[in-house]
């Protein structure tokens, strides 16, 4: 796993899997989205409107009252301003499905619009936004899903089923890696999901 400049912990379901827990606990710095600090009191910074931050953490609060963006985006903007471009996102899924879908899609927004190299960790795997031709570390049997964000051409090498320019979210799911890496070739943006194991 690559090194990250910072971990942003959102106020979704706190992770239970060993991988996101390791990413969080070994982070050089942790920025919490508002009330997430209650689950991780060792956070360095708390970002949000402060409505769910207990009094004992207010000395770490950077209050951002505007409501155009959510706390995850406010935290990402803060990290970018500090020069932290390689960001791990934890606690962004679970609890509510609408928040989960919104947060996953934001990962692509940060990549396209803010040049953030983000990885979003869940309890079953991790999302990585990408563009054009890229080769991804993998393992034989690892479950892989591909989500198209506007590509007209998608091909793959090293996956069980050939990829194409999926028109629906479900079409690129449930593929499988054949080796210790696979390559995607596209003319645009896409998102890769990989499980932590090969089963």
């Amino acid at each position: 796993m690559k090194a990250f400049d910072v971990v942003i912990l959102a106020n979704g379901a706190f992770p239970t899997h060993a991988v996101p827990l390791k990413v969080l606990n070994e982070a050089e710095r942790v920025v919490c989205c508002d009330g997430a600090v209650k689950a991780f009191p060792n956070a360095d910074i708390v970002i949000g409107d402060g409505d769910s931050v207990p009094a004992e953490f207010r000395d770490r609060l950077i209050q951002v009252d505007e409501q155009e963006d959510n706390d995850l985006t406010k935290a990402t903007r803060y990290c970018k301003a500090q020069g932290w471009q390689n960001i791990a996102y934890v606690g962004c899924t679970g609890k509510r499905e609408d928040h989960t879908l919104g947060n996953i899609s934001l990962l692509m927004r940060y990549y396209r619009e803010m040049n953030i190299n983000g990885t979003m960790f869940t309890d079953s795997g991790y999302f990585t936004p990408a563009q054009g031709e890229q080769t991804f570390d993998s393992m034989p049997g690892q479950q892989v899903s591909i989500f198209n964000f506007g590509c007209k051409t998608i091909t793959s090498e090293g996956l069980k089923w050939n990829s194409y320019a999926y028109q629906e979210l479900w079409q690129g799911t449930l593929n499988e890696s054949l080796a210790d890496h696979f390559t995607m070739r596209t003319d645009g943006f896409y998102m890769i999901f990989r499980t932590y194991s090969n089963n």
Side-chain angles (χ1 to χ4, degrees):
M1 199 65 65
K2 68 178 183 181
F4 296 97
D5 299 326
V6 61
V7 172
I8 294 178
L9 177 65
N11 204 15
F14 194 81
T16 58
H17 192 277
V19 172
L21 285 173
K22 178 180 172 68
V23 168
L24 182 60
N25 290 319
E26 294 184 359
E28 184 176 345
R29 54 185 74 87
V30 176
V31 173
C32 278
C33 296
D34 222 42
V37 71
K38 290 182 280 190
F40 195 79
N42 293 329
D44 301 285
I45 297 161
V46 183
I47 302 241
D49 57 19
D51 60 351
S52 55
V53 177
E56 62 265 33
F57 302 114
R58 290 200 165 257
D59 60 330
R60 288 176 252 170
L61 174 64
I62 296 175
Q63 190 162 332
V64 184
D65 291 322
E66 62 94 355
Q67 297 299 316
E68 188 68 26
D69 283 312
N70 66 1
D71 288 340
L72 193 67
T73 302
K74 294 171 187 176
T76 300
R77 280 202 312 255
Y78 172 84
C79 291
K80 179 177 171 60
Q82 311 311 306
W84 305 333
Q85 300 283 115
N86 298 312
I87 302 176
Y89 294 88
V90 177
C92 299
T93 60
K95 290 189 178 177
R96 278 180 50 175
E97 290 80 3
D98 54 342
H99 288 178
T100 292
L101 283 171
N103 286 339
I104 292 169
S105 69
L106 280 171
L107 191 63
M108 180 56 73
R109 177 190 174 193
Y110 305 152
Y111 180 72
R112 284 200 289 210
E113 298 178 13
M114 301 167 66
N115 296 315
I116 296 294
N117 297 313
T119 303
M120 187 173 288
F121 294 90
T122 75
D123 275 335
S124 56
Y126 53 109
F127 290 91
T128 308
Q131 178 184 17
E133 180 174 338
Q134 291 196 36
T135 297
F136 299 86
D137 292 335
S138 189
M139 67 190 83
Q142 184 179 37
Q143 300 299 288
V144 177
S145 292
I146 304 109
F147 300 95
N148 184 8
F149 280 77
C151 297
K152 292 182 173 57
T153 301
I154 299 178
T155 61
S156 59
E157 182 180 328
L159 295 178
K160 187 172 184 179
W161 293 282
N162 292 327
S163 299
Y164 59 96
Y166 312 110
Q167 298 301 303
E168 305 291 342
L169 287 176
W170 61 269
Q171 289 178 315
T173 62
L174 307 177
N175 211 324
E176 184 176 308
S177 177
L178 300 176
D180 61 0
H181 66 276
F182 61 91
T183 299
M184 303 296 303
R185 296 182 180 91
T186 81
D187 63 352
F189 295 95
Y190 56 98
M191 186 104 70
I192 298 291
F193 179 82
R194 286 167 283 177
T195 56
Y196 295 128
S197 64
N198 55 3
N199 52 38

